[in-house]
Amino acid sequence: MHISRRIITLAAIALSAGMAQAQTLFPYPTVPESIEGLTPRSDYMMEHFWDRCDLNSVFSSVKKFQGAFSDYVDLMPFASGKAMNSSVESFLKTVGKKPKNLLTVAEMAEGLLYSDTAHVRCDECYLPFAKAVASNKKLSKSARRCSVLTVPRFSQPRRKVWASSKSRS
């Protein structure tokens, strides 16, 4: 088990370095070397992911933004619940100021976190996005309707589910 933890940590470090070197829409954060371990490093990435992103103009290229948002979602399984919730809440507070952008993000979140083809299936991670759309009074009732119908399904406490394309028993 100790060996597999090292492999996961090394993979996260490589992912972090790869994200920083790849052509991205904005500069991703660089985790300080003093932070060790997969979860603390992922927490740092989640907490600082959007720091250098201008969320007012980034939606001019939705396709490029989708790549960055996908990278953000890919970090969620490795971060603590506290860091993930805090990061998503802060992100949605900023994005929610422009209802069209919030709807775009929620649709991406549904595809990446909740749909049948989601590569990171997590109801708990998707819920804040659905709630943000359902509660945003600037959106039309028809735009909020789907999220309003989704939110009550999650009202019962559920355990976190992380699954790949193959279901786990």
Side-chain angles (χ1 to χ4, degrees):
M1 183 157 172
H2 186 63
I3 293 173
S4 64
R5 187 174 195 154
R6 281 188 177 172
I7 292 171
I8 291 172
T9 302
L10 290 172
I13 292 167
L15 176 64
S16 176
M19 285 180 175
Q21 293 176 358
Q23 185 66 22
T24 58
L25 185 59
F26 56 91
Y28 289 179
T30 302
V31 180
E33 290 182 28
S34 61
I35 298 175
E36 295 181 2
L38 179 60
T39 300
R41 293 181 69 79
S42 298
D43 286 354
Y44 183 92
M45 287 291 289
M46 288 292 300
E47 292 166 354
H48 297 282
F49 193 86
W50 302 109
D51 288 357
R52 294 196 246 170
C53 177
D54 181 359
L55 289 170
N56 293 316
S57 65
V58 76
F59 289 92
S60 61
S61 177
V62 174
K63 188 172 183 171
K64 287 182 181 179
F65 176 77
Q66 188 170 15
F69 187 72
S70 179
D71 290 342
Y72 177 69
V73 167
D74 287 343
L75 293 167
M76 290 180 178
F78 305 106
S80 67
K82 182 179 178 182
M84 193 264 314
N85 289 330
S86 173
S87 175
V88 169
E89 182 181 317
S90 175
F91 172 68
L92 288 173
K93 184 177 180 181
T94 303
V95 172
K97 293 175 184 174
K98 295 190 177 180
K100 182 181 174 187
N101 294 348
L102 176 61
L103 202 52
T104 299
V105 166
E107 288 169 356
M108 288 179 192
E110 181 176 6
L112 293 168
L113 295 166
Y114 185 68
S115 73
D116 292 341
T117 58
H119 65 276
V120 177
R121 173 80 179 180
C122 179
D123 295 350
E124 182 182 318
C125 301
Y126 171 66
L127 182 59
F129 296 94
K131 282 183 175 179
V133 170
S135 64
N136 191 307
K137 303 294 183 196
K138 295 178 183 177
L139 289 169
S140 69
K141 284 185 180 182
S142 62
R144 292 183 303 175
R145 185 169 184 257
C146 187
S147 290
V148 169
L149 295 174
T150 302
V151 172
R153 284 190 254 167
F154 299 124
S155 61
Q156 297 291 326
R158 296 173 58 138
R159 115 182 140 79
K160 219 184 245 191
V161 179
W162 299 106
S164 63
S165 57
K166 296 180 182 178
S167 62
R168 296 179 182 175
S169 331

